[in-house]
Amino acid sequence: MTTFTAPKGTFDTLPPESATFLAVRDALTAPLRAAGYGYIETPVFEDTALFARGVGESTDVVSKEMYTFDDRGGRSLTLRPELTAGVMRAFIEHKLYAGQLPVKLYAVGSNFRYERPQAGRYRHFTQVDMEALGVDDPALDAEVVQLAVAGFRAIKLENFELQLTSLGDANCRPQYREKLQSFLAGLDLDEETRRRAAINPLRVLDDKRPEVAKQLTDAPLMVDHLCDDCRKHYDEVREHLRDLGVQWVEAPRLVRGLDYYTKTTFELVHNGLGAQSAIGGGGRYDGLSKELGGPDVSGIGYAVGVDRTLLALRAEGLIGDPPARVQAFVVPLGDEARRRGLQIVTDLRAAQIPADLSYGGKGLKGAMKAADRSGARYAVVIGDRDLADGTAQLKDLTTSDQRAVPLTDLTRTVKELLS
Ligand code: HAM
């Protein structure tokens, strides 16, 4: 019979490594909770048009990478390629803009992009995402950028860089775009690149091919063509970041893969990951709410790739041994002991002691092997004779010391020994 494997570009996260995945995911969200961001959960699929309009038709994400399907009712749905559009949809649908602003939200979850899989690039991946909606204030931009950095610092990551720029707004970007387009028109570019220049000239700036890159050294840059408002905004963001001690490098050629960005835009890039080096990215998106039929309010946020963050931690040697699965392991021997074993392990768990039990009628040898493998510090061995005496044998699995403990004292004793 044929067996199945996880689909191309996807992978399973299994114990014990999955404990690290959960710990990292939680550590990345802790600074957000401390800053008053509330958890939001949105559907894994949305109307296809939400992403087409929100993320942008000209992006690779929308034009080439979406998992789109018709449901049985004939609706075109798409597995979310990112979280921002769905969060914004919920913000508009539930009129969150009518309450106190900014609305601060964070989300954690699966995203799907039909990309060419390689190390750090998957078709199913997990993001920690945050959005601060409804207020256009450089201090808020600085908070968002600082929180992105704080998340990585919380997990002790060091070898990453914050790349920062401003992409202007609806006032200055169209003029800059024209300037860039006329510059690109004078270059020796292939047909496909010309086409790209016509649709999204900014993306050409990111072209890494030497024959293109060398022609781009004198290309006009957005940061040099910001309108007064955007320039002032960007200057203030940087002043706040300086105050907060956040370091960055100016990245005037930074190009994001999603079309909604305006003004402050950033990426966090790790130097130990090869080609897929962005561990997080985000920015302001002041036109998105309006584009999606909502009020004309601003927004800013970022997302961190949890899977890539794990790779970055590994690259820095920061992934230690996963924690033990349980701390106590009950080994019942004999029929009566087996009958009582489940009760004893349940009592231990009720006292917040992670505990497991030897199942399947194993003999002493097999059960002690299971106890060792569980990573538990203590084994609670109970034979029928111990039971008759109202005791259990408590064995320290690191030193092999063993002593009899009254069953009535067992939970308290284990708890004390573990504390
Ligand atoms: P993004 O840059 O497309 O931004 O994705 C954010 C992060 O998700 C990336 O830096 C990367 O770590 C991770 N990521 C993206 N694609 C993949 C993939 N195929 N495999 C593994 N990891 C991946 C956004 O998604 C925006 N929604 C961020 C944002 C929030 N902007 C404003 N608010």
Side-chain angles (χ1 to χ4, degrees):
M1 189 116 83
T2 40
T3 56
F4 297 99
T5 53
K8 185 172 176 189
T10 73
F11 56 89
D12 303 307
T13 304
L14 307 174
E17 285 76 24
S18 52
T20 310
F21 174 88
L22 288 180
V24 167
R25 199 187 64 177
D26 292 346
L28 289 170
T29 58
L32 301 176
R33 281 188 294 277
Y37 288 74
Y39 181 68
I40 178 172
E41 196 151 312
T42 61
V44 166
F45 54 82
E46 299 269 3
D47 277 340
T48 300
L50 174 73
F51 299 116
R53 255 206 277 158
V55 172
E57 304 263 19
S58 79
T59 61
D60 282 356
V61 170
V62 169
S63 63
K64 300 185 187 155
E65 297 171 1
M66 296 214 296
Y67 281 90
T68 297
F69 58 98
D70 283 347
D71 75 3
R72 287 165 196 272
R75 300 168 196 88
S76 179
L77 299 172
T78 293
L79 299 184
R80 62 188 182 196
E82 57 109 55
L83 295 165
T84 310
V87 170
M88 191 50 114
R89 195 257 319 128
F91 170 79
I92 298 167
E93 180 174 341
H94 303 291
K95 300 193 172 51
L96 301 185
Y97 49 80
Q100 179 139 354
L101 300 176
V103 174
K104 292 179 157 189
L105 301 167
Y106 78 94
V108 182
S110 295
N111 295 281
F112 308 85
R113 296 184 192 176
Y114 190 78
E115 298 202 72
R116 206 160 37 77
Q118 62 180 86
R121 188 162 71 191
Y122 311 109
R123 292 182 173 173
H124 167 243
F125 58 97
T126 302
Q127 285 183 342
V128 166
D129 178 278
M130 66 89 90
E131 316 290 348
L133 304 168
V135 170
D136 182 6
D137 178 348
L140 185 60
D141 297 42
E143 168 175 300
V144 168
V145 172
Q146 188 271 335
L147 284 169
V149 174
F152 290 125
R153 295 278 178 241
I155 53 171
K156 311 264 184 304
L157 214 56
E158 279 186 3
N159 301 335
F160 67 91
E161 180 176 271
L162 167 63
Q163 302 186 344
L164 185 72
T165 195
S166 172
L167 290 182
D169 65 5
N171 185 19
C172 50
R173 193 148 75 222
Q175 288 167 34
Y176 163 69
R177 204 184 125 102
E178 267 177 36
K179 246 188 210 105
L180 180 60
Q181 265 169 338
S182 57
F183 172 85
L184 295 174
L187 303 185
D188 176 20
L189 301 172
D190 58 87
E191 230 359 84
E192 165 144 19
T193 312
R194 280 197 183 290
R195 244 193 322 270
R196 196 149 11 115
I199 302 167
N200 193 337
L202 267 81
R203 211 146 278 148
V204 179
L205 283 183
D206 196 32
D207 203 317
K208 304 274 189 311
R209 292 172 298 174
E211 68 277 17
V212 181
K214 72 167 193 272
Q215 301 186 66
L216 294 170
T217 39
D218 295 330
L221 298 173
M222 184 69 242
V223 275
D224 299 325
H225 295 85
L226 296 174
C227 57
D228 288 348
D229 269 3
C230 287
R231 153 88 26 223
K232 186 162 169 285
H233 185 99
Y234 193 42
D235 285 345
E236 285 180 29
V237 172
R238 290 183 290 188
E239 245 171 69
H240 285 299
L241 289 177
R242 246 173 249 124
D243 291 348
L244 295 172
V246 173
Q247 296 184 342
W248 73 91
V249 294
E250 293 288 333
R253 289 164 187 265
L254 179 66
V255 178
R256 303 273 299 128
L258 316 162
D259 268 355
Y260 45 62
Y261 291 107
T262 56
K263 293 187 179 165
T264 314
T265 303
F266 60 98
E267 239 168 44
L268 294 126
V269 176
H270 194 272
N271 72 10
L273 294 185
Q276 302 307 314
S277 58
I279 48 177
R284 194 161 264 295
Y285 43 84
D286 289 346
L288 183 60
S289 172
K290 192 159 174 239
E291 185 66 36
L292 296 178
D296 190 7
V297 296
S298 58
I300 177 165
Y302 67 78
V304 167
V306 179
D307 315 278
R308 273 189 210 168
T309 302
L310 282 164
L311 294 179
L313 282 171
R314 190 156 295 129
E316 290 197 30
L318 292 170
I319 297 192
D321 289 338
R325 194 163 68 75
V326 290
Q327 293 178 312
F329 196 91
V330 178
V331 174
L333 303 166
D335 291 342
E336 182 58 16
R338 278 199 189 100
R339 215 173 57 71
R340 287 288 303 281
L342 192 55
Q343 184 61 51
I344 292 168
V345 82
T346 305
D347 289 346
L348 289 166
R349 293 170 186 164
Q352 316 300 326
I353 301 165
D356 205 355
L357 174 70
S358 166
Y359 287 105
K362 290 191 184 72
L364 180 63
K365 205 164 154 220
M368 290 311 286
K369 205 180 207 173
D372 274 330
R373 285 198 180 144
S374 76
R377 174 75 194 271
Y378 294 99
V380 178
V381 184
I382 321 161
D384 283 348
R385 199 163 339 125
D386 299 307
L387 262 190
D389 296 345
T391 59
Q393 301 297 322
L394 186 60
K395 182 171 183 184
D396 183 329
L397 291 171
T398 47
T399 63
S400 293
D401 288 347
Q402 186 169 321
R403 59 170 154 149
V405 177
L407 275 174
T408 46
D409 279 350
L410 180 68
T411 299
R412 190 176 51 79
T413 309
V414 176
K415 187 113 201 154
E416 273 171 21
L417 287 169
L418 285 169
S419 64

